[in-house]
């Protein structure tokens, strides 16, 4: 598995420090608001679990799962809610947690979907942001960003290639020859 990694982009220590920093900012902003953190499966699971354990204010957690179809591997096709949140978000302060903001298509879809549930507020926190890949038609922006990364395909810490590498404890760049196999 590690032999497929060209370079470690973010070490466990770097990620841990950033998670603490993000959580501190969010705690300050959401104290007394009983926020709900909504994780978008599956890529977010590791980040989500680390984040909420650094949150020391009362809060709730929920998950949704979206699927994209119609255009192969990228997210430009149509999207659908495969599993919706279970909590009633009306009047609640909601923070979406995501692994990566790439083209932005999935988060735009997720954001609009959750906005239709009439939350009191809705913000986006993403561990990684790849601005070079942004679809110009996307209007939503992440409110909290862990790391801005270059336009390279990364895996680990929840992120996958072909459903593998999610269990790597760091974020690494995949060797190009792995794609061409
Ligand atoms: P979007 O392009 O912003 O809609 O991102 C859609 C999804 O593509 C993300 O939630 C990730 O699951 C996946 N993705 C985008 N870039 C990468 C990457 O560099 N590595 C692994 N998955 C990625
Ligand atoms: Mg993925």
């Amino acid at each position: 598995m590690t032999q497929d990694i060209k370079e470690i982009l973010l070490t466990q220590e770097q990620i841990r420090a950033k998670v603490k920093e993000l959580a501190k900012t969010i705690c300050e902003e959401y104290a007394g608001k009983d926020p709900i953190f909504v994780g978008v499966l599956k890529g977010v699971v590791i980040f989500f679990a680390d984040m909420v354990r650094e949150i020391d204010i009362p809060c709730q957690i929920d998950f949704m799962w979206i699927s994209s179809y119609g255009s192969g591997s990228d997210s430009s096709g149509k999207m659908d809610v495969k599993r919706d949140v279970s909590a009633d978000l009306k009047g609640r302060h909601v923070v979406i947690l995501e692994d990566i903001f790439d083209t932005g298509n999935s988060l735009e879809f997720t954001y609009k979907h959750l906005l239709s549930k009439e939350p009191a507020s809705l913000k986006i926190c993403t561990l990684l942001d790849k601005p070079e890949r942004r679809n110009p038609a996307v209007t939503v922006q992440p409110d909290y960003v862990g790391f801005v990364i270059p336009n390279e395909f990364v895996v680990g810490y929840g992120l996958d290639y072909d459903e593998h590498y999610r269990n790597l404890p760091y974020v690494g760049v995949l060797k190009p020859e792995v794609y061409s196999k």
Side-chain angles (χ1 to χ4, degrees), residues 5 7-24 43-54 98-100 125-129 145-149 154-159 165-173:
I5 303 302
E7 165 202 1
I8 295 179
L9 199 64
L10 303 166
T11 65
Q12 281 178 269
E13 291 68 32
Q14 283 174 297
I15 298 170
R16 200 175 295 133
K18 185 63 78 177
V19 164
K20 277 187 196 286
E21 191 187 309
L22 284 172
K24 188 169 178 282
V44 83
V45 285
I46 315 286
F47 175 51
F48 193 96
D50 283 351
M51 271 296 278
V52 295
R53 282 180 294 174
E54 291 294 335
E98 250 287 28
D99 51 354
I100 187 164
C125 173
T126 183
L127 175 69
L128 307 176
D129 185 8
V145 174
F147 302 93
V148 174
I149 61 163
V154 293
V155 293
Y157 199 71
L159 290 131
Y165 310 100
R166 293 192 195 275
N167 53 322
L168 288 173
Y170 51 80
V171 173
V173 179

Side-chain angles (χ1 to χ4, degrees), residues 6-88:
K6 187 173 86 176
E7 165 202 1
I8 295 179
L9 199 64
L10 303 166
T11 65
Q12 281 178 269
E13 291 68 32
Q14 283 174 297
I15 298 170
R16 200 175 295 133
K18 185 63 78 177
V19 164
K20 277 187 196 286
E21 191 187 309
L22 284 172
K24 188 169 178 282
T25 307
I26 288 175
C27 283
E28 282 164 10
E29 194 163 325
Y30 287 89
K33 292 185 173 172
D34 193 19
I36 301 188
F37 296 100
V38 174
V40 184
L41 297 170
K42 298 178 231 178
V44 83
V45 285
I46 315 286
F47 175 51
F48 193 96
D50 283 351
M51 271 296 278
V52 295
R53 282 180 294 174
E54 291 294 335
I55 301 279
D56 59 2
I57 57 169
C59 64
Q60 293 179 328
I61 67 171
D62 213 321
F63 297 95
M64 61 178 294
W65 192 356
I66 61 170
S67 58
S68 58
Y69 55 91
S71 76
S73 59
D74 68 23
S75 62
S76 59
K78 282 197 168 300
M79 272 170 251
D80 208 358
V81 177
K82 209 165 171 177
R83 193 264 185 206
D84 207 348
V85 290
S86 54
D88 180 5

Side-chain angles (χ1 to χ4, degrees), residues 75 98-100 102-106 130 152-154 159-160:
S75 62
E98 250 287 28
D99 51 354
I100 187 164
D102 187 38
T103 63
N105 293 330
S106 336
K130 233 195 253 179
E152 289 194 274
F153 196 82
V154 293
L159 290 131
D160 73 302

